[in-house]
Amino acid sequence: MTVASVRIRPKRVLPGFALSLGTTLLYVSVIILIPIIALVISGAGIGWDRFVRILTSARTLDALRVTVLAAAIATVINAFYGLLMAWVLTRYEFRGRAFLDAMMDIPFALPTAVAGLALTSLFASTGWFGGPLEAMGIQVVYALPGIIIAMTFTSVPFVVRAVQPVLEDLDPALEEAAKTLGATPWQTFSKVILPAILPAWLGGCTVSMARSMGEFGAVVFIAGNLPGKTEIASLLAFIRLQEYDYRGASVIALILLVFALLLLLISNLFQIRAARYREGGK
Amino acid sequence: MAIEIAQLRKSFGRNEVLKGIDIAVEDKELIALLGPSGSGKTTLLRIIAGLDWPDSGRLEVDGADWLSIAARDRRIGFVFQHYALFPHMSVRDNIAFGMTVRPRAERPGKAVIARKVTELLQFLQIPHLADRLPGQLSGGQRQRVALGRALAIDPRVLLLDEPFGALDAAVRRDLRSWLRSVHDASETTTIFVTHDQDEAFELADRVVIMGEGRIEQIGTADQIHDHPASPFVARFMGATIELPVRIAAGRATAPGIDTARIERRALPDGAATLFVRPADLTPVPDPAGLWRVKQVTSTGALLRPVLTGPEGQDIAVEILRRAAPNLSAGQSVTLRVETGTIFTETPPGQRGQAGQPSEINAIPLKEKQK
């Protein structure tokens, strides 16, 4: 007697794998991938010489310099403030903690133009902060500090939300162990807590930096947009577009894209690193 | 180091977890804090470590007031229940941690630290694990590393919180005898917390039994087994059968029970309760006996007769089948008590609150138990 060999198809617990994956891929392609490819093609299509000429023009370089400088300073500020904020939210019980926690998401939810308007009116010479600051000789609006403040505002939740869950998961016994072994509070922080949260922290900082570099809405209101002084790269791309200089716009956009992808790559490397210790230690 | 604890109290909110603790631990002694969960044993250990602070009381180690010293200056070796190894450091770095965080002036040189860590790894029988991360170790291995890390600072006192709680039975037995040898070799005064009686009695020089924030008894395995100081300890040590008796001229009597083998005690006349282990009761066939055999089950080695008393109460006893009389259901028997403990604080028919000290049974806690 022979038994026909029938291939048995393994059944998945949830049906519809092909359909759901297909939908996801289509969505990713239409919304994310194709626009990026189009941008790369249009940026690359202008030829190397013109590309370099647009890139190295004084106005483009100035805009990139302002953008990177402001974003870097904003990221440094966010790194410290965001860490502190995450620390306060996870380590202490106090009235209004939940409210503060919810407030952290406002920069995510608020239209950036609204944020830009609010900040501008606060820091203008007639505003609550701007008046006293101007009296001290510090110009915020229509200057680099204004750009930095706008970037800080919109990107700080990235750091807080990256560090917070890792801090929450940290076993309090680790700190107690360090204490019983004779470590000072600073040694406990630098040798035990910081290494544990470092990958998440740096990951959050890089995403925050990426967001800062691309920030547009909040910055254009407060920056004043003086070419060569307070004009940021994404605004320059917008101006080029309005001048019907599509190529110029896509060159600048392409540069911003490269920066963003690099930062995302770095952020993901940090996350891989963070996963290394995750299973152990408890 | 000798540890002296007196009148230690601690509350968390309204919940009083330590209600006046007195213990004197001698130098180089190995002490077990034994008790059910919620008895305050871990809190007591954490107070000795400086991880919690009492509301009142004294804690002195070799005469020094430890309540005025921060945890990090006490130099205690604390082994956490879930080990709390630093996940990003290798085994070697974990063990070296306590030495590398010392102030620069006292810190041993790198070579000295490395040599000490190597010695400890040898001593703990884990030299092959030196470069692993904690995440790559088994529970028993982590336990050894945690102990190594605690021993590396030459602790004055070694404290272990449920050291074998998270391990499986075979590893547990191994580590138990190993911990005893580590203690004997390092000669460090050691206190460990456990809820496992076998572990406590096998390992410790003396066992401190805690119940609901109080010390119920301090003593060796034999002392506690033979002379439980309170109904709580008697129940905790397996004397689960409670028989109402009457005391007259120091002798306990009850209808249907042969108490001739129980010594006379200086107890006031009146009602009392006899606490007996199931194995310390022998049913003796007696046509005039007031107890009836309800049923008999056998495990091969042991007979487990269930007996019904004159007031209708059922008790299960245990006798070696080899030595057992012929028992069958419906038979009349007299219960012979081989040994037991009498407490007068629990009137018959009314269960005493476990852990409440009575005038008669409260032992002077600071008196050393021989």
Side-chain angles (χ1 to χ4, degrees), chain A residues 58-63 65-66 225-232 236:
Chain A
R59 193 167 171 188
T60 314
L61 281 180
D62 278 340
R65 190 178 48 80
V66 169
N225 312 324
L226 294 168
K229 286 210 174 66
T230 60
E231 188 178 60
I232 56 166
L236 186 60

Side-chain angles (χ1 to χ4, degrees), chain A residues 176 179 183 187 191 280 282, chain B residues 46 72 82 88 101 135 142:
Chain A
E176 292 181 339
K179 202 173 9 167
Q187 284 171 325
K191 286 175 181 255
K282 273 217 162 181
Chain B
R46 288 175 58 87
R72 103 178 113 90
H82 298 290
H88 57 281
V101 295
R142 285 182 206 180

Side-chain angles (χ1 to χ4, degrees), chain B residues 135-264:
Chain B
Q136 302 165 320
L137 303 180
S138 72
Q141 290 169 334
R142 285 182 206 180
Q143 178 64 271
R144 285 169 192 249
V145 177
L147 189 60
R149 186 178 66 177
L151 287 173
I153 58 169
D154 293 319
R156 296 194 174 102
V157 180
L158 188 59
L159 304 171
L160 303 102
D161 186 9
E162 297 269 3
F164 313 115
L167 303 172
D168 55 56
V171 180
R172 219 176 237 247
R173 266 194 306 279
D174 265 14
L175 279 180
R176 218 187 271 175
S177 51
W178 171 81
L179 179 64
R180 179 78 229 188
S181 63
V182 167
H183 170 263
D184 293 347
S186 66
E187 296 199 317
T188 311
T189 310
T190 303
I191 303 179
F192 73 97
V193 156
T194 181
H195 59 258
D196 183 327
Q197 284 184 34
D198 289 347
E199 203 165 282
F201 289 118
E202 191 185 318
L203 204 50
D205 297 322
R206 286 192 300 158
V207 173
V208 176
I209 297 195
M210 292 187 66
E212 297 191 0
R214 285 199 173 83
I215 291 181
E216 296 283 340
Q217 189 166 8
I218 305 179
T220 63
D222 295 354
Q223 287 166 352
I224 293 173
H225 186 273
D226 294 347
H227 305 290
S230 67
F232 174 87
V233 179
R235 284 188 202 111
F236 193 69
M237 294 302 296
T240 49
I241 298 173
E242 295 168 32
L243 298 168
V245 292
R246 290 206 74 76
I247 306 286
R251 190 160 279 292
T253 54
I257 299 173
D258 171 9
T259 53
R261 296 194 178 187
I262 297 185
E263 295 163 33
R264 292 170 80 109

Side-chain angles (χ1 to χ4, degrees), chain A residues 124-146:
Chain A
S125 51
T126 52
W128 293 348
F129 298 160
L133 283 172
E134 206 143 292
M136 284 186 277
I138 301 168
Q139 171 79 23
V140 175
V141 175
Y142 313 133
L144 193 66

Side-chain angles (χ1 to χ4, degrees), chain B residues 4-10 16 18-23 44 54-59 67 214-215 365-366:
Chain B
E4 179 98 17
I5 293 168
Q7 280 307 307
L8 214 62
R9 287 173 183 280
K10 169 76 182 171
E16 194 175 25
L18 294 179
K19 302 168 182 169
I21 298 289
D22 301 81
I23 315 176
L44 179 57
D55 300 331
S56 63
R58 271 189 315 122
L59 166 62
L67 292 182
R214 285 199 173 83
I215 291 181
L365 294 168
K366 286 175 82 177

Side-chain angles (χ1 to χ4, degrees), chain A residues 171 173-185 187-188 191-193 195-196 276-277 279-282, chain B residues 46 50-51 71-72 76 78 80 82-89 97-98 100-101 133-135 142 149-150 153:
Chain A
D171 186 357
L174 289 179
E175 284 158 66
E176 292 181 339
K179 202 173 9 167
T180 61
L181 290 166
T184 60
Q187 284 171 325
T188 306
K191 286 175 181 255
V192 175
I193 300 172
R276 237 177 68 189
Y277 310 122
E279 72 247 45
K282 273 217 162 181
Chain B
R46 288 175 58 87
L51 297 173
R72 103 178 113 90
I76 27 125
F78 198 101
F80 290 82
H82 298 290
Y83 323 124
L85 297 176
F86 305 126
H88 57 281
M89 292 184 203
F97 185 86
T100 56
V101 295
L133 287 172
R142 285 182 206 180
R149 186 178 66 177
I153 58 169

